[in-house]
Amino acid sequence: MGQQEKVSTSLAGAVSEGISASLAAVDAELDRRYPGDPGTRQPVHTVYVPGNLFDAGTVRSWGDQALAALDEHAPDAASFAAVLGLPDDLAGDVYGRVRAKLEREPIEDLRVDFEDGYGGDDEDRDAARAARLVSEAYAKGTAAPYTGIRMKCMEAAVRDRGIRTTDVFLTGLLEHGGLPEGLVLTLPKVTYPEQVTAFVRLLEAFEKAHGLDAGRLGFEIQIETSQAILAADGTAAVARMIGAAEGRATGLHYGTFDYSACLGVSAAYQASDHPAADHAKAIMQVAAAGTGVRVSDGSTNVLPVGSTAHVHEAWRLHYGLTRRALARAYYQGWDMHPGHIPTRYAAVFAFYREGFETAAKRLSAYANHAGGDVMDEPATAKALSSYLLRGIDCGALDTAEVDALTGLTRADLDRFAAPRRGDLTASAE
């Protein structure tokens, strides 16, 4: 046994205590502003359907239309893989999982839209009907995992209408059984943090009126204007919006076309991979990091309809944009048409399938202190486990195969994915 090393110090304990006391306010602020990811499932996409067109069969209809598009334009794994450039070793698995997903859960996140595309003459009626249909779908188990509405924004011209629609919809949900766990509200075209604060006050008033727990109602902020990214004083307005939400913000959603138009981008070049879009989303991503607020990409308006040649071209575009977003850590996007869903899931499933074994083995080595050819840290273990969990949640990976390759349970993965703040700065040894 080696000689015991003598350890000496020069500073009194009071020095450390004084430093800690001086940073107490900072510690509290870090905990308040940056609680970390909530650890809940994040949908891979959001689908929106105009409020006057939404009905009880919307979710199943989108799945059936997506399956019909596959049957017509890519009836087997080989033809689908040829369109998208999927490698042979993934083609069959991805195609099978896509079809199974379209049968089982074609839409992960549905927004009944009372803003863009809405054309109803009686918004009260349509909002009340949406509340009833959403409640019935959750009761029957046929609802998308996440469902809600996008109301009109808080600008003066439509503010009262947006407030009333929100009230009608939420009141209807309570009358038909209560607020579902998957409820999501989307506030569009936010320009100033004060508009976010105003929406918070609206939700607070509704909670008090019905005796709901404070903070029960959260919402997404849609970023569709230049002022939402860069305020007049040169600061990042989107970061202030997260603070203005007072803990209720759940997501930042990029609005591809409104934002592009706001900057004067020509219609032919309005796309989620435009440099202006990349800049906006990078600011959103940094502002949201660590806050528990998730970032979603926008959509493409190139629809996979018409001839097989055009459908294939639109599929390749959508697949490529989705893969590009995933590589940039935008794990959610917006889909505008049932024909987009096959390529959404193909891109997501390929992304997780192709990296599955490497990620699983690296996490296993880290968990077992086994080493390997990559030296991973707690922050990397967090990223690896989050990657595997996202793959499981969407159906790209099976729990059993992840367990078999990592030797870790779902609870183990959750623990690695959501470490305490101090664990991320601790040594990986």
Side-chain angles (χ1 to χ4, degrees):
M1 187 171 181
Q3 181 178 355
Q4 187 71 27
E5 196 72 35
K6 179 182 178 183
V7 177
S8 302
T9 62
S10 302
L11 301 177
V15 174
S16 178
E17 293 171 2
I19 290 173
S20 292
S22 72
L23 291 174
V26 171
D27 294 339
E29 184 76 350
L30 281 170
D31 288 339
R32 184 180 72 83
R33 287 188 179 273
Y34 303 102
D37 189 85
T40 54
R41 175 182 180 181
Q42 180 180 9
V44 302
H45 70 167
T46 299
V47 163
Y48 69 91
V49 177
N52 56 315
L53 302 180
F54 172 69
D55 62 36
T58 291
V59 173
R60 187 61 263 151
S61 174
W62 273 59
D64 290 343
Q65 290 179 70
L67 284 165
L70 282 178
D71 290 341
E72 181 176 358
H73 303 293
D76 51 47
S79 57
F80 197 49
V83 173
L84 304 181
L86 291 170
D88 291 343
D89 61 337
L90 284 180
D93 192 8
V94 167
Y95 189 76
R97 287 175 184 272
V98 168
R99 294 195 69 99
K101 181 76 168 180
L102 296 176
E103 293 280 4
R104 182 184 73 255
E105 189 181 75
I107 296 177
E108 291 198 356
D109 185 28
L110 175 65
R111 208 68 71 249
V112 184
D113 192 18
F114 291 94
E115 196 214 9
D116 291 345
Y118 176 69
D121 295 325
D122 188 343
E123 191 160 333
D124 280 358
R125 178 200 62 207
D126 290 342
R129 182 173 63 90
R132 175 177 58 80
L133 292 175
V134 167
S135 295
E136 290 174 356
Y138 273 105
K140 295 176 181 176
T142 59
Y146 298 91
T147 306
I149 65 168
R150 178 169 68 172
M151 68 293 296
K152 291 178 174 63
C153 70
M154 298 298 286
E155 292 179 357
V158 295
R159 182 183 304 139
D160 288 345
R161 182 64 261 179
I163 290 172
R164 183 171 176 84
T165 295
T166 304
D167 186 7
V168 170
F169 179 72
L170 293 176
T171 300
L173 290 178
L174 291 178
E175 290 175 346
H176 292 287
L179 303 179
E181 286 301 314
L183 174 65
V184 188
L185 304 174
T186 302
L187 180 65
K189 292 183 176 61
V190 180
T191 304
Y192 282 81
E194 289 82 359
Q195 294 169 328
V196 174
T197 300
F199 198 64
V200 170
R201 299 288 89 83
L202 169 64
L203 299 183
E204 282 180 341
F206 188 88
E207 289 166 349
K208 290 177 182 177
H210 292 279
L212 301 173
D213 291 340
R216 169 64 180 87
L217 295 167
F219 61 98
E220 302 163 339
I221 302 169
Q222 201 156 13
I223 305 301
E224 302 175 272
T225 67
S226 60
Q227 297 92 341
I229 295 298
L230 190 67
D233 62 2
T235 60
V238 66
R240 303 212 318 270
M241 290 175 184
I242 293 174
E246 300 177 18
R248 294 177 184 264
T250 59
L252 300 175
H253 285 233
Y254 176 68
T256 304
F257 305 104
D258 284 291
Y259 186 85
S260 298
C262 186
L263 268 61
V265 178
S266 298
Y269 297 97
Q270 292 178 359
S272 61
D273 58 351
H274 189 281
D278 285 340
H279 172 262
K281 287 180 286 189
I283 299 297
M284 292 163 58
Q285 190 174 51
V286 173
T291 65
V293 178
R294 289 152 165 178
V295 176
S296 173
D297 199 1
S299 59
T300 175
N301 61 357
V302 179
L303 304 184
V305 296
S307 69
T308 294
H310 179 76
V311 169
H312 286 181
E313 182 180 357
W315 274 351
R316 280 190 289 269
L317 173 65
H318 185 244
Y319 179 87
L321 290 173
T322 303
R323 286 302 307 260
R324 184 180 189 272
L326 290 167
R328 286 158 176 76
Y330 307 130
Y331 299 113
Q332 185 175 356
W334 281 61
D335 290 328
M336 299 180 69
H337 187 273
H340 284 142
I341 303 181
T343 39
R344 169 69 62 183
Y345 290 131
V348 171
F349 292 171
F351 176 75
Y352 290 110
R353 295 301 306 176
E354 68 187 18
F356 162 51
E357 288 194 13
T358 298
K361 289 176 181 177
R362 283 180 65 181
L363 184 60
S364 177
Y366 174 86
N368 293 295
H369 305 283
D373 58 358
V374 179
M375 182 179 293
D376 287 323
E377 300 177 343
T380 306
K382 175 181 178 180
L384 291 168
S385 54
S386 295
Y387 173 88
L388 297 174
L389 286 168
R390 290 179 186 277
I392 292 171
D393 286 342
C394 70
L397 306 175
D398 300 323
T399 301
E401 64 178 344
V402 175
D403 288 351
L405 206 54
T406 63
L408 302 172
T409 65
R410 173 76 192 226
D412 294 328
L413 294 176
D414 286 333
R415 187 169 59 253
F416 280 121
R420 298 184 304 274
R421 180 181 304 282
D423 293 341
L424 290 180
T425 56
S427 169
E429 296 178 0

